[in-house]
Amino acid sequence: GGCIGCSESTRAATGMRKISRNSRARTSAAEEFGGAHTDALRTEVLEHLRSEYCGIFPNCAEAYERAVEERWSLVVGADFLTTVDDIAMPRVGARILDIGCGYGTFVLACRLRGYEAIGIDTSTFELRIARERLRAHGVHGDPETVYQAVAGERSSFAAGSFDVVTIWNTLEHVPNTAALLAEANRLL
């Protein structure tokens, strides 16, 4: 995970383990995403990434494909969820907040597993894609409530609202990490 151009340094800086997919059965992009929307949304996401990052990173075409794969894959979401299970051991129905939810993979994996997960992000493009993924999977919850346009360091959730707060591949993009971490702590 991490930025298209800095995934290894992000892993090292955050202590996140490298994701291994070797032992997991893979599903097609259509199965992971929920069917017919896959090709059109995937193309839209690739075009968005090209417009945002063109010329910034070397090997752009490869990097875009890898970034989309990592952000779509429910295998990746499930791997992140396994990490949360190992560390926090949340109960079924636990409330989980994912700050910087992006395309919503982790929140979707949590909801498919029975957690009451909510994702927040400031990217309206990524939130729109996350909401469409939720609809495509037929997962319970209003997409506008499940995926909210909120800055992580300034949420309006009540203190103690969540059992688990995650911040995957986000800290390196936040100007005031101390404020973000303080807010995450307040929400626990």
Side-chain angles (χ1 to χ4, degrees):
C3 289
I4 294 170
C6 66
S7 59
E8 283 304 315
S9 62
T10 300
R11 275 192 202 100
T14 61
M16 187 175 83
R17 67 184 171 86
K18 189 167 183 173
I19 295 167
S20 171
R21 296 184 187 101
N22 296 339
S23 62
R24 302 212 190 279
R26 298 290 298 169
T27 57
S28 72
E31 290 170 319
E32 286 187 5
F33 186 75
H37 290 68
T38 301
D39 289 337
L41 286 176
R42 204 173 159 86
T43 299
E44 186 177 358
V45 168
L46 279 169
E47 289 304 315
H48 175 76
L49 289 171
R50 283 186 187 107
S51 71
E52 291 288 314
Y53 300 111
C54 187
I56 296 173
F57 301 114
N59 305 320
C60 286
E62 272 179 36
Y64 299 138
E65 286 291 333
R66 188 175 56 250
V68 170
E69 172 63 23
E70 288 180 0
R71 283 151 182 83
W72 284 122
S73 177
L74 289 179
V75 171
V76 172
D79 278 347
F80 284 174
L81 185 52
T82 297
T83 300
V84 170
D85 286 343
D86 290 347
I87 295 168
M89 296 179 282
R91 71 191 183 307
V92 173
R95 293 196 31 92
I96 298 174
L97 176 66
D98 185 23
I99 298 174
C101 67
Y103 299 118
T105 301
F106 178 70
V107 170
L108 184 56
C110 287
R111 285 188 159 268
L112 288 168
R113 185 100 158 256
Y115 296 116
E116 288 299 318
I118 293 174
I120 61 174
D121 207 298
T122 57
S123 170
T124 56
F125 176 81
E126 291 184 15
L127 287 169
R128 182 176 60 77
I129 299 297
R131 291 170 182 148
E132 289 191 36
R133 292 180 78 186
L134 188 73
R135 285 184 198 100
H137 274 285
V139 176
H140 75 281
D142 170 45
E144 300 294 321
T145 303
V146 172
Y147 295 107
Q148 299 179 27
V150 174
E153 57 269 32
R154 295 184 306 276
S155 81
S156 61
F157 300 111
S161 294
F162 296 94
D163 301 299
V164 174
V165 175
T166 61
I167 309 170
W168 303 109
N169 305 317
T170 299
L171 290 176
E172 67 274 19
H173 302 285
V174 176
N176 188 345
T177 56
L180 179 67
L181 294 172
E183 178 64 3
N185 186 56
R186 184 186 75 80
L187 296 173
L188 289 170

